[in-house]
Amino acid sequence: MDVRIGISDISRELQVRTTSTADEVAAALNEALTNNSTFELADDKGRRVIVPVAKLAYLDLGAAEGRPVGFGAL
């Protein structure tokens, strides 16, 4: 799933491709907001993105699967 993270005072957004589901990402965000700590997300290559909740502007959860490319079985 693709996740776009907007950070205040920064014009570009972070784009992260993760193996987590939308519910798992939302739960991690809710926990970080409750604790007023940092939002942490691991991408599909094992790297971690850590953003302070105070600087988090928005979180955009994309589609769970990408579009198929090529001639596959329908």
Side-chain angles (χ1 to χ4, degrees), residues 4-59:
R4 293 186 316 182
I5 303 170
I7 301 172
S8 60
D9 301 327
I10 296 177
S11 60
R12 296 185 68 179
E13 61 190 15
L14 294 175
Q15 293 184 340
V16 179
R17 175 165 278 248
T18 183
T19 57
S20 301
T21 65
D23 292 334
E24 292 171 343
V25 174
L29 177 62
N30 286 333
E31 181 180 343
L33 288 170
T34 302
N35 297 334
N36 197 19
S37 61
T38 57
F39 173 67
E40 183 174 336
L41 185 63
D43 71 357
D44 58 353
K45 293 180 173 66
R47 294 178 289 200
R48 294 181 353 192
V49 175
I50 302 171
V51 180
V53 174
K55 292 292 185 177
L56 194 63
Y58 64 89
L59 196 71

